[in-house]
Amino acid sequence: MKIFNMTELIWSLCEILWIDLAPGQLDKVRILLSHNAAARTDAFLSMDEVLRKMPIFNILCGEESVFAHIKDLCETWYHMLVSKMLYQRPTVKSVDLHYYAQASMDEFRGDGRMSEMDSILLSTLEFDVHQVIKDCRFGHNLREYLLLDYATSLMSHCSLWQVGVDYLDQCHDTGRHYLEQFIDNMPIETERKAHKLLNICEKRNMPEQIKSICKVMGMRCLKNQRLGAALSWFLRSKDVAFATLIAEKFLSEYNEHGEFSNLDLLDNLGSSMLISHRLTFLAKYREYHRLYEERELYAAGSLLLSLLTSRLAPRE
């Protein structure tokens, strides 16, 4: 929507300055409005009054102090420019507009910096058609535009998208933003692709995308009752809430069947168990079972006592 609004604004200015050279036919406009069914409403009467009093060739005073007072009512420098030209210099020639444009820009941007939109509008007012076309197509950085265009075509390819990532890395102004958007919207059909995406995100320090990918894969595993795989994904993204949820499901499964599943994962959680109290209890309770099975009764009893006194055990 923002790009559309910018395009409409630029085209309207080009049309006024370069194409539509006919003078404003205000009387015909008023007649046309008078035939509308709502012509007697307040809104239409107000428009008619404004058009009737529209200055055409009479020079108005346009006091500078008044413009300084209403500056906050103008959203942009070109709003101020239109107001000044209408009430101070209604007969200004179009070829001279850029002189007054620069003054309006200085009032709004004390630091002298111009946005890309400012540059395009100023080039339009200077009748620099070539520069307007160039800026509208490429902006100030032709190299980056071409790289982005090529990278975009690669990112939509099922097997070449990883090459597109390398090209986006070379777009220093907007490449990272484009990459984040691509990853956020890229379908993840397989775990292999998920791991490739994670590797890309980890190398570029993109924590939000890492969490999003892991959540998508974790929820998919959870839906398919693959609790071990789901826990692995949630641990990778350090998602406390879902890691706790999976730990609850493991404990419920133990209550129901009297044994644990995914023993390889539970026996090798390491420091990852510390992400949540419930997961810590699950890992330690599984360790108690392992010690008991190996007949290390003293160690098993000490661990069980520790679990009871630490209040990590769930009430059920």
Side-chain angles (χ1 to χ4, degrees):
M1 180 59 74
K2 182 179 179 181
I3 294 177
F4 176 78
N5 290 335
M6 291 171 63
T7 304
E8 184 182 29
L9 176 63
I10 294 167
W11 173 248
S12 297
L13 181 58
C14 292
E15 189 177 27
I16 292 170
L17 293 178
W18 302 341
I19 301 174
D20 186 12
L21 300 179
Q25 302 178 39
L26 301 182
D27 290 336
K28 291 183 179 180
V29 173
R30 291 179 62 203
I31 293 171
L32 182 63
L33 289 175
S34 69
H35 293 299
N36 192 286
R40 306 309 302 171
T41 62
D42 291 341
F44 272 77
L45 291 173
S46 297
M47 282 192 289
D48 183 72
E49 181 72 6
V50 170
L51 290 170
R52 187 175 66 82
K53 296 180 178 179
M54 182 83 167
I56 301 176
F57 295 113
N58 297 326
I59 304 301
L60 303 181
C61 61
E63 295 180 10
E64 195 66 35
S65 59
V66 175
F67 287 107
H69 181 69
I70 66 169
K71 176 183 174 182
D72 293 338
L73 299 178
C74 298
E75 295 180 9
T76 64
W77 64 267
Y78 43 86
H79 288 175
M80 176 66 80
L81 175 65
V82 171
S83 301
K84 282 193 171 186
M85 295 302 98
L86 182 62
Y87 290 103
Q88 282 186 330
R89 305 179 184 279
T91 59
V92 66
K93 294 181 179 179
S94 56
V95 293
D96 295 329
L97 282 173
H98 67 279
Y99 297 115
Y100 304 103
Q102 190 62 60
S104 295
M105 289 177 64
D106 292 341
E107 287 186 42
F108 269 80
R109 297 183 183 277
D111 55 9
R113 291 184 301 175
M114 288 197 303
S115 68
E116 200 133 306
M117 185 67 173
D118 294 339
S119 179
I120 294 172
L121 292 178
L122 192 58
S123 296
T124 306
L125 294 172
E126 292 173 346
F127 285 77
D128 191 343
V129 180
H130 179 266
Q131 189 63 40
V132 171
I133 294 174
K134 179 182 175 183
D135 286 348
C136 285
R137 288 184 64 193
F138 313 124
H140 292 298
N141 193 335
L142 176 58
R143 175 183 178 276
E144 178 137 337
Y145 171 83
L146 295 174
L147 284 173
L148 284 173
D149 186 57
Y150 186 53
T152 299
S153 65
L154 291 173
M155 292 297 289
S156 62
H157 195 279
C158 61
S159 59
L160 296 177
W161 62 270
Q162 292 177 87
V163 181
V165 173
D166 294 330
Y167 275 94
L168 289 175
D169 284 340
Q170 302 305 312
C171 301
H172 303 299
D173 292 337
T174 57
R176 182 181 177 89
H177 173 72
Y178 272 76
L179 180 58
E180 289 173 350
Q181 295 299 314
F182 277 121
I183 291 177
D184 286 340
N185 295 284
M186 185 174 289
I188 308 175
E189 301 89 354
T190 64
E191 289 197 4
R192 183 182 178 187
K193 187 174 182 178
H195 285 295
K196 288 181 179 180
L197 285 170
L198 284 175
N199 186 46
I200 289 170
C201 294
E202 288 169 351
K203 285 183 177 179
R204 292 159 182 79
N205 190 26
M206 302 167 71
E208 292 302 316
Q209 282 66 36
I210 291 173
K211 189 169 184 178
S212 176
I213 293 168
C214 290
K215 187 169 185 177
V216 168
M217 298 304 296
M219 293 301 293
R220 186 179 298 174
C221 292
L222 183 58
K223 184 178 180 181
N224 294 327
Q225 299 299 315
R226 297 173 57 206
L227 297 184
L231 181 57
S232 295
W233 285 112
F234 292 129
L235 288 177
R236 186 163 184 175
S237 63
K238 297 181 174 58
D239 194 317
V240 177
F242 277 99
T244 301
L245 175 67
I246 300 296
E248 292 278 7
K249 289 187 174 294
F250 271 114
L251 292 170
S252 298
E253 187 180 74
Y254 174 79
N255 282 338
E256 185 175 347
H257 302 291
E259 59 182 9
F260 290 110
S261 60
N262 297 279
L263 296 183
D264 288 342
L265 175 64
L266 296 182
D267 288 342
N268 294 282
L269 284 174
S271 60
S272 298
M273 72 173 78
L274 301 177
I275 194 174
S276 97
H277 293 314
R278 193 51 50 89
L279 189 59
T280 301
F281 172 79
L282 172 65
K284 290 296 182 182
Y285 193 56
R286 162 57 198 160
E287 184 181 352
Y288 156 74
H289 275 267
R290 183 178 58 77
L291 291 171
Y292 183 82
E293 291 168 0
E294 295 173 356
R295 310 310 295 170
E296 296 186 29
L297 301 182
Y298 181 82
S302 298
L303 179 55
L304 183 59
L305 182 61
S306 175
L307 287 174
L308 293 173
T309 57
S310 65
R311 299 184 179 179
L312 284 176
R315 183 177 297 276
E316 62 270 17

